[in-house]
Amino acid sequence: MSSRRTLRKLTNVVALVLSGIATAIGLFFLAAILWTLVKNGVAGLSVALFTQMTPPPGSAGGLLNAIYGSVVMTVIGILIGGPIGMLAGTYLAEYGRTARISALIRFVNDVLLSAPSIIIGLFVYELLVVRMGHFSAIAGAVALAIIAMPVIVRTTEDMLNLVPQGMKDASTAMGAYTWRTVTSVIYPAARSGIVTGLLLAVARISGETAPLLFTALNNQFWSSNLGAPMANLPVVIFQFALSPYPNWQQLAWSGALIITVSILVLSIAARIAVSSFTKGRH
Amino acid sequence: MNKTPDNNPSRPSLPPPAADAAEAAMEEALGAHGSAADRGARLLKPSGRRGGIPAEPHSPLALDSPPIAHPVFHCKDVNMFYGAKQALKNITLDVAPRQVLAMIGPSGCGKSTFLRCLNRMNDTIPNTRTTGTITLDGQDIFAPEVDVAQLRARIGMVFQKPNPFPKSIFENVAYGPRIHGMTRSRAELDEIVCSSLTRAGLWDEVKDRLNAPGTGLSGGQQQRLCIARTIAVQPEVILMDEPCSALDPVATARVEDLIDELRAQYAIVIVTHSMQQAARVSQRTAYFHLGELIEIGETDRIFTNPRHRLTEDYITGRFG
């Protein structure tokens, strides 16, 4: 009896130690990456980083055009992908919940969700860049929109499904048409959840490099022309980090830090939004 | 929109003493004695008669006396299917104006399903099928030209779980009048909200915080808010699906008093698991069993002199 108990205690200790080691290994690499990023990135933080253009090799400069380009293309990408994704998610959750086509849409959406982003870059390259004859910011924004869309479809559908059926029934029983129930009752009830989905989509697309390489490419200078190539953080990091020039490498580290911190801030904002969402419903 | 003077919530409602008096007069006229609670207790003592109760149901309508002259709902041979499973079998019954019809029976007997047939809420569940006829004021509710949203606007519904919208108290009540374009001015809307909350017995408790969220009220208050929201659109009939099952006894008593007051203007159909409640609030009672309507009749008669053994077994607590 006591030997069995000893065995159990031993098994428990072994399992505890093993899972502790696994956790420690995972956290170690995460911390190492963040530490390297902060150590190398902070060194390049300066006012010039946010006020000057990407420089030629060997001279001083900043990332202003790349930061601007990333913000512009991300915002346009969400402006295109957000409404389409939300409407598709609304269809799946409220109109076509059990329609046969909905199962197909969900499946295709899941495939799109996990599609390598370089494929989407190539697709938009064929669709827009080849036809326009040159790289452009708008092509970049479209590529980002296509990447954001399946994320938004999924989160919108999930969030709308969290709205209690009783609330929807109450509106239906009042004699409201479905569109009215959706816009007046369901959207307000799911608002923070939907916003969270949009924020997650922003976090997802703000670090994408491959699709922009095929669409917006890069621009050494300030450009606010959507029809022309536009600088952006991921491609600048890609280019500068691979270069032999120390000042470019430093800018790449700082750019990587900027993206990471932005995504961190967005994720925290999303978590706060989610917790206020769940609180509001109880 | 039906605007009979009797049915207009913008008319200031009676102050409570007058309403009590009117209620008392009505009880007198209906031949009821003592308080509603007394009556419930009295009705729950079955006569003890065991012999002579038929094992097979008669035609339920034949048991219903006297026949309803101008029914609000007239239902004939209503069958309802969830996929291949038949949930209702040939239900035939009438709902009388200005009366409460209670539907009782064990869980799964089809009473809630039947209630949801009356405003076609089952349409929102996939793979359901309803056959037979249901008319509201003589109009077939399944006719192809019927706009189901317009139909539901004429039939109020109160659910088992209070389900206020995630809006302010004011906006909860204003929702129906807004979506049906019932008011032309803000003053008119204010009037409807005020009178609906007053009639639902909630005005005094919320008049100082109309902009507070409806979800912040207590369960009983939420349910009265849902009733206020329902009567704000001047429905012709109110359906209630176990409206008190999530409430404590005090809140239940308040809602029951409210049902008694609303009866002066509306036909009310209430599904309830509590036989005491059926006895307290209803004038007619229908007993459902396994998707069939076993017996329907005046509440006094059903609880004192059931004609079917299943009804008697249920009301005396032998099963269910």
Side-chain angles (χ1 to χ4, degrees):
Chain A
M1 194 63 197
S2 85
S3 76
R4 171 174 283 183
R5 182 176 266 177
T6 318
L7 189 68
R8 283 184 182 175
K9 274 189 173 170
L10 197 67
T11 317
N12 186 40
V13 168
V14 169
L16 193 66
V17 167
L18 285 180
S19 52
I21 290 173
T23 311
I25 291 175
L27 286 178
F28 170 76
F29 283 108
L30 179 66
I33 291 170
L34 283 177
W35 170 244
T36 316
L37 190 62
V38 169
K39 192 180 65 176
N40 293 305
V42 164
L45 286 183
S46 64
V47 178
L49 190 69
F50 299 97
T51 56
Q52 292 182 21
M53 306 303 148
T54 45
S59 47
L63 292 170
L64 176 62
N65 51 342
I67 295 171
Y68 171 80
S70 272
V71 170
V72 165
M73 285 189 278
T74 303
V75 167
I76 297 178
I78 289 294
L79 286 181
I80 298 172
I84 299 175
M86 279 173 59
L87 289 174
T90 306
Y91 174 81
L92 292 178
E94 303 302 333
Y95 287 90
R97 190 190 292 255
T98 55
R100 200 166 293 170
I101 187 138
S102 296
L104 184 68
I105 295 173
R106 279 188 201 103
F107 177 72
V108 171
N109 193 61
D110 284 349
V111 170
L112 202 56
L113 196 61
S114 48
S117 56
I118 195 162
I119 308 279
I120 290 166
L122 278 171
F123 170 72
V124 176
Y125 179 82
E126 282 295 327
L127 190 76
L128 290 177
V129 178
V130 170
R131 290 184 198 193
M132 290 168 77
H134 53 83
F135 296 102
S136 67
I138 194 71
V142 169
L144 294 183
I146 294 175
I147 294 169
M149 224 155 21
V151 181
I152 299 170
V153 171
R154 169 59 78 81
T155 50
T156 304
E157 187 191 359
D158 288 351
M159 290 304 153
L160 295 187
N161 281 335
L162 282 182
V163 175
Q165 186 62 36
M167 208 182 271
K168 302 176 186 178
D169 282 351
S171 180
T172 307
M174 294 289 294
Y177 293 99
T178 308
W179 67 267
R180 175 69 92 159
T181 302
V182 167
T183 53
S184 297
V185 174
I186 301 179
Y187 277 167
R191 188 173 48 219
S192 352
I194 294 173
V195 169
T196 306
L198 291 173
L199 289 177
L200 288 175
V202 170
R204 166 83 205 273
I205 63 178
S206 56
E208 284 293 346
T209 318
L212 293 179
L213 211 49
F214 285 101
T215 51
L217 196 63
N218 199 351
N219 194 331
Q220 207 182 330
F221 307 104
W222 174 267
S223 167
S224 54
N225 179 1
L226 293 180
M230 192 180 268
N232 56 83
L233 282 173
V235 174
V236 166
I237 293 168
F238 174 70
Q239 201 179 21
F240 283 16
L242 290 178
S243 77
Y245 314 112
N247 71 316
W248 274 21
Q249 290 169 1
Q250 180 57 58
L251 284 174
W253 279 115
S254 303
L257 183 64
I258 292 173
I259 290 186
T260 309
V261 169
S262 317
I263 293 175
L264 184 68
V265 168
L266 274 178
S267 304
I268 292 172
R271 274 177 180 265
I272 292 172
V274 166
S275 73
S276 73
F277 178 50
T278 19
K279 238 181 273 160
R281 283 178 50 239
H282 295 293
Chain B
M1 195 48 66
N2 182 7
K3 287 234 181 202
T4 58
D6 226 345
N7 203 0
N8 190 349
S10 60
R11 190 174 55 110
S13 59
L14 295 168
D20 280 347
E23 190 188 321
M26 190 164 301
E27 293 238 323
E28 194 80 357
L30 286 168
H33 306 289
S35 72
D38 285 350
R39 193 156 61 94
R42 182 166 50 82
L43 291 184
L44 275 176
K45 293 189 195 102
S47 61
R49 184 176 63 91
R50 291 287 294 159
I53 298 174
E56 292 301 314
H58 292 289
S59 161
L61 205 59
L63 294 170
D64 196 4
S65 56
I68 308 298
H70 298 288
V72 178
F73 277 116
H74 173 65
C75 311
K76 189 156 169 45
D77 296 329
V78 176
N79 289 279
M80 197 278 184
F81 303 84
Y82 291 107
K85 187 180 169 291
Q86 185 165 8
L88 294 176
K89 293 168 193 159
N90 292 318
I91 307 295
T92 295
L93 64 78
D94 286 344
V95 176
R98 287 156 211 232
Q99 260 198 8
V100 180
L101 169 65
M103 303 202 291
I104 60 170
S107 295
C109 68
K111 54 198 190 304
S112 287
T113 300
F114 180 71
L115 191 76
R116 291 167 63 93
C117 282
L118 296 177
N119 62 347
R120 289 183 58 182
M121 280 299 281
N122 289 328
D123 290 16
T124 63
I125 304 170
N127 283 323
T128 56
R129 190 163 57 87
T130 311
T131 64
T133 350
I134 300 177
T135 61
L136 173 61
D137 294 335
Q139 181 198 12
D140 180 7
I141 68 166
F142 294 113
E145 69 272 13
V146 168
D147 179 341
V148 66
Q150 297 296 327
L151 171 78
R152 289 182 188 135
R154 297 164 58 194
I155 306 165
M157 188 163 199
V158 177
F159 294 81
Q160 181 171 3
K161 217 178 143 210
N163 49 6
F165 299 132
K167 299 170 182 290
S168 68
I169 293 168
F170 182 93
E171 286 301 328
N172 261 282
V173 183
Y175 184 76
R178 274 196 207 283
I179 66 173
H180 297 299
M182 288 168 59
T183 55
R184 277 180 300 277
S185 67
R186 175 73 191 204
E188 230 176 310
L189 188 63
D190 287 348
E191 175 62 35
I192 289 185
V193 170
C194 173
S195 67
S196 303
L197 284 169
T198 307
R199 286 198 301 166
L202 195 59
W203 176 251
D204 288 333
E205 290 159 62
V206 301
K207 64 183 174 203
D208 299 322
R209 45 171 176 153
L210 290 175
N211 291 319
T215 45
L217 297 172
S218 74
Q221 289 173 324
Q222 286 188 18
Q223 195 63 303
R224 278 179 284 144
L225 178 64
C226 292
I227 293 173
R229 178 177 70 187
T230 300
I231 58 183
V233 291
Q234 310 175 19
E236 291 160 44
V237 48
I238 301 176
L239 311 179
M240 297 184 166
D241 192 355
E242 298 181 44
C244 299
S245 64
L247 306 184
D248 68 32
V250 177
T252 299
R254 294 216 55 167
V255 171
E256 287 182 4
D257 287 346
L258 180 56
I259 292 170
D260 225 37
E261 285 163 32
L262 292 174
R263 168 162 66 89
Q265 280 191 21
Y266 301 101
I268 296 173
V269 185
I270 180 172
V271 166
T272 176
H273 266 298
S274 154
M275 283 174 282
Q276 287 89 340
Q277 181 169 65
R280 283 191 298 260
V281 302
S282 75
Q283 287 71 53
R284 286 169 78 233
T285 296
Y287 174 68
F288 283 71
H289 186 86
L290 295 175
E292 285 182 79
L293 175 60
I294 302 298
E295 187 166 355
I296 180 169
E298 285 176 15
T299 299
D300 292 34
R301 208 268 298 149
I302 293 280
F303 281 101
T304 52
N305 190 16
R307 291 186 189 153
H308 195 282
R309 171 150 293 149
L310 285 171
T311 316
E312 179 174 347
D313 284 353
Y314 184 71
I315 62 170
T316 53
R318 266 191 276 276
F319 73 87

